[in-house]
Tab-separated table of all heavy atoms in Angstrom:
chain	number	residue	atom	x	y	z
A	77	TYR	N	11.991	17.216	0.498
A	77	TYR	CA	11.920	18.400	1.366
A	77	TYR	C	11.701	19.590	0.548
A	77	TYR	O	12.146	19.690	-0.661
A	77	TYR	CB	13.176	18.549	2.197
A	77	TYR	CG	13.580	17.272	2.995
A	77	TYR	CD1	14.512	16.382	2.411
A	77	TYR	CD2	12.975	17.028	4.142
A	77	TYR	CE1	14.816	15.309	3.162
A	77	TYR	CE2	13.355	15.936	4.944
A	77	TYR	CZ	14.294	15.073	4.369
A	77	TYR	OH	14.685	13.918	5.124
A	78	LEU	N	11.017	20.572	1.091
A	78	LEU	CA	10.825	21.791	0.439
A	78	LEU	C	11.191	22.947	1.493
A	78	LEU	O	10.425	23.173	2.515
A	78	LEU	CB	9.451	22.056	-0.134
A	78	LEU	CG	9.148	23.298	-0.856
A	78	LEU	CD1	9.878	23.238	-2.186
A	78	LEU	CD2	7.720	23.586	-1.139
A	79	GLN	N	12.303	23.611	1.271
A	79	GLN	CA	12.726	24.657	2.131
A	79	GLN	C	12.157	25.949	1.598
A	79	GLN	O	12.524	26.248	0.414
A	79	GLN	CB	14.339	24.741	2.251
A	79	GLN	CG	14.745	25.957	3.029
A	79	GLN	CD	14.379	25.803	4.542
A	79	GLN	OE1	14.540	24.740	5.131
A	79	GLN	NE2	13.978	26.906	5.169
A	80	THR	N	11.264	26.624	2.411
A	80	THR	CA	10.700	27.783	1.868
A	80	THR	C	11.277	28.980	2.665
A	80	THR	O	11.078	29.010	3.950
A	80	THR	CB	9.155	27.776	2.093
A	80	THR	OG1	8.760	27.734	3.451
A	80	THR	CG2	8.625	26.467	1.322
A	81	ASN	N	11.838	29.974	1.962
A	81	ASN	CA	12.371	31.126	2.548
A	81	ASN	C	11.732	32.400	2.061
A	81	ASN	O	11.108	32.312	0.993
A	81	ASN	CB	13.863	31.158	2.267
A	81	ASN	CG	14.640	30.022	2.901
A	81	ASN	OD1	14.314	29.500	3.956
A	81	ASN	ND2	15.800	29.633	2.193
A	82	ASN	N	11.857	33.474	2.791
A	82	ASN	CA	11.330	34.794	2.462
A	82	ASN	C	9.890	34.604	1.957
A	82	ASN	O	9.450	35.080	0.978
A	82	ASN	CB	12.049	35.373	1.266
A	82	ASN	CG	11.728	36.800	0.931
A	82	ASN	OD1	11.213	37.512	1.789
A	82	ASN	ND2	12.054	37.277	-0.252
A	83	LEU	N	9.152	34.012	2.884
A	83	LEU	CA	7.690	33.701	2.519
A	83	LEU	C	6.867	34.989	2.327
A	83	LEU	O	7.152	35.964	3.112
A	83	LEU	CB	7.099	32.734	3.615
A	83	LEU	CG	7.525	31.283	3.367
A	83	LEU	CD1	7.263	30.530	4.693
A	83	LEU	CD2	6.822	30.641	2.273
A	84	LYS	N	6.003	34.948	1.509
A	84	LYS	CA	5.012	36.076	1.218
A	84	LYS	C	3.564	35.668	1.496
A	84	LYS	O	3.273	34.498	1.379
A	84	LYS	CB	5.219	36.474	-0.193
A	84	LYS	CG	6.621	36.879	-0.664
A	84	LYS	CD	6.722	37.206	-2.159
A	84	LYS	CE	8.129	37.448	-2.539
A	84	LYS	NZ	8.203	37.790	-3.991
A	85	PRO	N	2.731	36.645	1.786
A	85	PRO	CA	1.302	36.256	1.934
A	85	PRO	C	0.668	35.440	0.744
A	85	PRO	O	-0.155	34.578	1.003
A	85	PRO	CB	0.633	37.635	2.081
A	85	PRO	CG	1.597	38.533	2.705
A	85	PRO	CD	2.992	38.069	2.071
A	86	GLU	N	1.164	35.762	-0.412
A	86	GLU	CA	0.666	34.928	-1.599
A	86	GLU	C	1.155	33.551	-1.569
A	86	GLU	O	0.673	32.802	-2.445
A	86	GLU	CB	0.997	35.699	-2.859
A	86	GLU	CG	2.435	36.069	-2.969
A	86	GLU	CD	2.805	37.513	-2.628
A	86	GLU	OE1	2.240	37.989	-1.649
A	86	GLU	OE2	3.589	38.037	-3.470
A	87	ASP	N	2.059	33.120	-0.736
A	87	ASP	CA	2.404	31.774	-0.577
A	87	ASP	C	1.504	31.004	0.213
A	87	ASP	O	1.650	29.714	0.314
A	87	ASP	CB	3.811	31.674	0.010
A	87	ASP	CG	4.924	32.214	-0.894
A	87	ASP	OD1	4.897	31.970	-2.122
A	87	ASP	OD2	5.846	32.961	-0.357
A	88	THR	N	0.495	31.555	0.885
A	88	THR	CA	-0.439	30.915	1.675
A	88	THR	C	-1.292	29.953	0.838
A	88	THR	O	-1.824	30.345	-0.220
A	88	THR	CB	-1.438	31.984	2.263
A	88	THR	OG1	-0.661	32.810	3.184
A	88	THR	CG2	-2.584	31.265	3.042
A	89	ALA	N	-1.269	28.745	1.205
A	89	ALA	CA	-1.865	27.708	0.406
A	89	ALA	C	-1.826	26.273	1.220
A	89	ALA	O	-1.141	26.235	2.219
A	89	ALA	CB	-1.212	27.488	-0.919
A	90	VAL	N	-2.597	25.414	0.731
A	90	VAL	CA	-2.332	24.029	1.106
A	90	VAL	C	-1.371	23.406	0.198
A	90	VAL	O	-1.449	23.453	-1.004
A	90	VAL	CB	-3.712	23.153	1.106
A	90	VAL	CG1	-3.391	21.721	1.510
A	90	VAL	CG2	-4.770	23.736	2.035
A	91	TYR	N	-0.268	22.833	0.774
A	91	TYR	CA	0.796	22.291	-0.008
A	91	TYR	C	0.646	20.785	-0.043
A	91	TYR	O	0.548	20.126	0.968
A	91	TYR	CB	2.138	22.701	0.633
A	91	TYR	CG	2.510	24.140	0.241
A	91	TYR	CD1	1.850	25.174	0.847
A	91	TYR	CD2	3.609	24.393	-0.576
A	91	TYR	CE1	2.140	26.538	0.557
A	91	TYR	CE2	3.979	25.755	-0.872
A	91	TYR	CZ	3.209	26.778	-0.265
A	91	TYR	OH	3.455	28.078	-0.704
A	92	TYR	N	0.613	20.194	-1.223
A	92	TYR	CA	0.415	18.830	-1.460
A	92	TYR	C	1.775	18.210	-2.052
A	92	TYR	O	2.336	18.739	-3.071
A	92	TYR	CB	-0.656	18.583	-2.439
A	92	TYR	CG	-2.029	19.005	-1.920
A	92	TYR	CD1	-2.599	20.173	-2.201
A	92	TYR	CD2	-2.836	18.102	-1.182
A	92	TYR	CE1	-3.778	20.628	-1.821
A	92	TYR	CE2	-4.121	18.495	-0.780
A	92	TYR	CZ	-4.598	19.740	-1.064
A	92	TYR	OH	-5.784	20.068	-0.543
A	93	CYS	N	2.130	17.130	-1.490
A	93	CYS	CA	3.265	16.384	-1.994
A	93	CYS	C	2.767	15.269	-2.947
A	93	CYS	O	1.622	14.726	-2.692
A	93	CYS	CB	4.081	15.711	-0.847
A	93	CYS	SG	5.449	14.660	-1.365
A	94	TYR	N	3.510	14.984	-3.957
A	94	TYR	CA	3.125	13.776	-4.708
A	94	TYR	C	4.365	12.871	-4.941
A	94	TYR	O	5.492	13.353	-4.838
A	94	TYR	CB	2.512	14.221	-6.085
A	94	TYR	CG	3.560	14.699	-7.131
A	94	TYR	CD1	4.203	13.782	-8.001
A	94	TYR	CD2	3.895	16.050	-7.208
A	94	TYR	CE1	5.114	14.351	-8.922
A	94	TYR	CE2	4.801	16.567	-8.060
A	94	TYR	CZ	5.367	15.664	-8.963
A	94	TYR	OH	6.375	16.112	-9.890
A	95	ALA	N	4.147	11.669	-5.278
A	95	ALA	CA	5.140	10.682	-5.590
A	95	ALA	C	4.716	9.817	-6.763
A	95	ALA	O	3.618	9.276	-6.728
A	95	ALA	CB	5.610	9.846	-4.428
A	96	ASP	N	5.494	9.707	-7.773
A	96	ASP	CA	5.212	8.880	-8.949
A	96	ASP	C	5.847	7.545	-8.799
A	96	ASP	O	7.015	7.442	-8.583
A	96	ASP	CB	5.591	9.541	-10.260
A	96	ASP	CG	4.817	10.771	-10.647
A	96	ASP	OD1	3.713	10.892	-10.162
A	96	ASP	OD2	5.367	11.593	-11.357
A	97	THR	N	5.125	6.460	-8.968
A	97	THR	CA	5.680	5.092	-8.841
A	97	THR	C	6.347	4.764	-10.114
A	97	THR	O	6.168	5.205	-11.196
A	97	THR	CB	4.615	4.061	-8.474
A	97	THR	OG1	3.582	4.021	-9.511
A	97	THR	CG2	3.978	4.446	-7.146
A	98	ARG	N	7.204	3.735	-10.057
A	98	ARG	CA	7.823	3.162	-11.244
A	98	ARG	C	8.029	1.694	-11.099
A	98	ARG	O	8.230	1.229	-9.958
A	98	ARG	CB	9.223	3.812	-11.493
A	98	ARG	CG	10.302	3.627	-10.440
A	98	ARG	CD	11.579	4.154	-10.818
A	98	ARG	NE	12.614	3.931	-9.760
A	98	ARG	CZ	13.868	4.293	-9.963
A	98	ARG	NH1	14.307	4.794	-11.027
A	98	ARG	NH2	14.651	4.058	-8.936
A	99	PRO	N	8.060	0.829	-12.087
A	99	PRO	CA	7.545	1.212	-13.472
A	99	PRO	C	6.066	1.493	-13.400
A	99	PRO	O	5.412	1.532	-12.417
A	99	PRO	CB	7.871	0.037	-14.316
A	99	PRO	CG	7.766	-1.093	-13.346
A	99	PRO	CD	8.285	-0.639	-12.025
A	100	PHE	N	5.395	1.546	-14.521
A	100	PHE	CA	3.937	1.803	-14.578
A	100	PHE	C	3.538	3.029	-13.747
A	100	PHE	O	2.831	2.927	-12.747
A	100	PHE	CB	3.178	0.476	-14.142
A	100	PHE	CG	3.602	-0.684	-14.685
A	100	PHE	CD1	4.210	-1.730	-13.897
A	100	PHE	CD2	3.658	-0.944	-16.118
A	100	PHE	CE1	4.583	-2.910	-14.432
A	100	PHE	CE2	4.121	-2.054	-16.677
A	100	PHE	CZ	4.559	-3.087	-15.840
A	101	SER	N	4.052	4.189	-14.207
A	101	SER	CA	3.890	5.393	-13.496
A	101	SER	C	2.463	5.666	-13.017
A	101	SER	O	1.592	5.774	-13.917
A	101	SER	CB	4.434	6.584	-14.261
A	101	SER	OG	4.338	7.763	-13.598
A	102	ARG	N	2.300	5.804	-11.790
A	102	ARG	CA	1.018	6.187	-11.214
A	102	ARG	C	1.338	7.207	-10.045
A	102	ARG	O	2.252	7.103	-9.269
A	102	ARG	CB	0.325	5.000	-10.628
A	102	ARG	CG	-1.069	5.433	-9.964
A	102	ARG	CD	-1.784	4.132	-9.460
A	102	ARG	NE	-2.989	4.555	-8.764
A	102	ARG	CZ	-3.832	3.695	-8.181
A	102	ARG	NH1	-3.592	2.429	-8.230
A	102	ARG	NH2	-4.934	4.111	-7.562
A	103	ARG	N	0.571	8.356	-9.977
A	103	ARG	CA	0.792	9.387	-9.086
A	103	ARG	C	-0.037	9.260	-7.807
A	103	ARG	O	-1.304	9.015	-7.826
A	103	ARG	CB	0.508	10.726	-9.759
A	103	ARG	CG	0.706	11.979	-8.845
A	103	ARG	CD	0.951	13.223	-9.583
A	103	ARG	NE	2.154	13.172	-10.411
A	103	ARG	CZ	2.608	14.188	-11.184
A	103	ARG	NH1	1.879	15.210	-11.347
A	103	ARG	NH2	3.745	14.026	-11.801
A	104	TYR	N	0.665	9.332	-6.713
A	104	TYR	CA	0.054	9.313	-5.346
A	104	TYR	C	0.229	10.658	-4.709
A	104	TYR	O	1.322	11.281	-4.752
A	104	TYR	CB	0.552	8.192	-4.514
A	104	TYR	CG	0.191	6.774	-5.010
A	104	TYR	CD1	0.930	6.222	-5.994
A	104	TYR	CD2	-0.830	6.090	-4.441
A	104	TYR	CE1	0.521	4.945	-6.447
A	104	TYR	CE2	-1.252	4.944	-4.821
A	104	TYR	CZ	-0.563	4.286	-5.936
A	104	TYR	OH	-0.927	2.997	-6.343
A	105	TRP	N	-0.869	11.098	-4.038
A	105	TRP	CA	-0.834	12.396	-3.366
A	105	TRP	C	-0.904	12.279	-1.776
A	105	TRP	O	-1.513	11.384	-1.295
A	105	TRP	CB	-2.107	13.236	-3.825
A	105	TRP	CG	-1.913	13.720	-5.226
A	105	TRP	CD1	-2.509	12.916	-6.265
A	105	TRP	CD2	-1.427	14.796	-5.806
A	105	TRP	NE1	-2.301	13.605	-7.427
A	105	TRP	CE2	-1.630	14.765	-7.115
A	105	TRP	CE3	-0.681	15.900	-5.228
A	105	TRP	CZ2	-1.151	15.785	-8.004
A	105	TRP	CZ3	-0.271	16.870	-6.106
A	105	TRP	CH2	-0.425	16.767	-7.418
A	106	GLY	N	-0.325	13.217	-1.099
A	106	GLY	CA	-0.389	13.268	0.311
A	106	GLY	C	-1.779	14.049	0.626
A	106	GLY	O	-2.461	14.463	-0.234
A	107	GLN	N	-1.957	14.134	1.956
A	107	GLN	CA	-3.249	14.758	2.391
A	107	GLN	C	-3.254	16.295	2.419
A	107	GLN	O	-4.227	16.898	2.519
A	107	GLN	CB	-3.577	14.220	3.801
A	107	GLN	CG	-2.778	14.853	4.937
A	107	GLN	CD	-1.351	14.417	5.090
A	107	GLN	OE1	-0.875	13.527	4.305
A	107	GLN	NE2	-0.626	15.044	6.001
A	108	GLY	N	-2.003	16.824	2.211
A	108	GLY	CA	-1.834	18.227	2.226
A	108	GLY	C	-1.425	18.929	3.664
A	108	GLY	O	-1.818	18.305	4.636
A	109	THR	N	-0.682	19.914	3.546
A	109	THR	CA	-0.290	20.575	4.819
A	109	THR	C	-0.529	22.064	4.560
A	109	THR	O	-0.067	22.669	3.556
A	109	THR	CB	1.167	20.251	5.230
A	109	THR	OG1	1.496	20.840	6.495
A	109	THR	CG2	2.240	20.739	4.170
A	110	GLN	N	-1.110	22.769	5.598
A	110	GLN	CA	-1.479	24.185	5.437
A	110	GLN	C	-0.216	25.077	5.720
A	110	GLN	O	0.318	24.923	6.793
A	110	GLN	CB	-2.605	24.533	6.349
A	110	GLN	CG	-3.008	26.018	6.334
A	110	GLN	CD	-3.648	26.422	5.015
A	110	GLN	OE1	-4.561	25.663	4.497
A	110	GLN	NE2	-3.223	27.551	4.494
A	111	VAL	N	0.061	25.992	4.899
A	111	VAL	CA	1.028	27.064	5.070
A	111	VAL	C	0.328	28.373	5.041
A	111	VAL	O	-0.345	28.715	4.030
A	111	VAL	CB	2.130	27.029	4.021
A	111	VAL	CG1	3.043	28.255	4.246
A	111	VAL	CG2	3.029	25.648	4.172
A	112	THR	N	0.442	29.150	6.077
A	112	THR	CA	-0.293	30.414	6.219
A	112	THR	C	0.833	31.468	6.492
A	112	THR	O	1.499	31.389	7.463
A	112	THR	CB	-1.263	30.465	7.237
A	112	THR	OG1	-2.377	29.452	6.958
A	112	THR	CG2	-1.967	31.888	7.295
A	113	VAL	N	0.884	32.473	5.614
A	113	VAL	CA	1.868	33.544	5.818
A	113	VAL	C	1.080	34.850	6.141
A	113	VAL	O	0.378	35.351	5.300
A	113	VAL	CB	2.744	33.722	4.531
A	113	VAL	CG1	3.854	34.730	4.810
A	113	VAL	CG2	3.288	32.431	4.088
A	114	SER	N	1.224	35.219	7.390
A	114	SER	CA	0.503	36.425	7.806
A	114	SER	C	1.116	37.083	8.998
A	114	SER	O	1.777	36.390	9.808
A	114	SER	CB	-1.000	35.988	8.124
A	114	SER	OG	-1.753	37.042	8.756
A	115	SER	N	0.955	38.424	9.020
A	115	SER	CA	1.471	39.106	10.207
A	115	SER	C	0.417	39.216	11.331
A	115	SER	O	0.623	39.902	12.356
A	115	SER	CB	1.969	40.493	9.812
A	115	SER	OG	1.007	41.204	9.065
Side-chain angles (χ1 to χ4, degrees):
Y77 306 95
L78 187 68
Q79 177 66 42
T80 66
N81 297 327
N82 190 22
L83 284 162
K84 304 175 182 180
E86 52 264 41
D87 294 317
T88 295
V90 178
Y91 284 69
Y92 295 92
C93 176
Y94 76 88
D96 291 339
T97 59
R98 62 173 180 177
F100 312 120
S101 181
R102 179 177 175 180
R103 180 160 294 180
Y104 290 83
W105 293 91
Q107 79 285 357
T109 186
Q110 177 71 46
V111 171
T112 302
V113 185
S114 175
S115 56

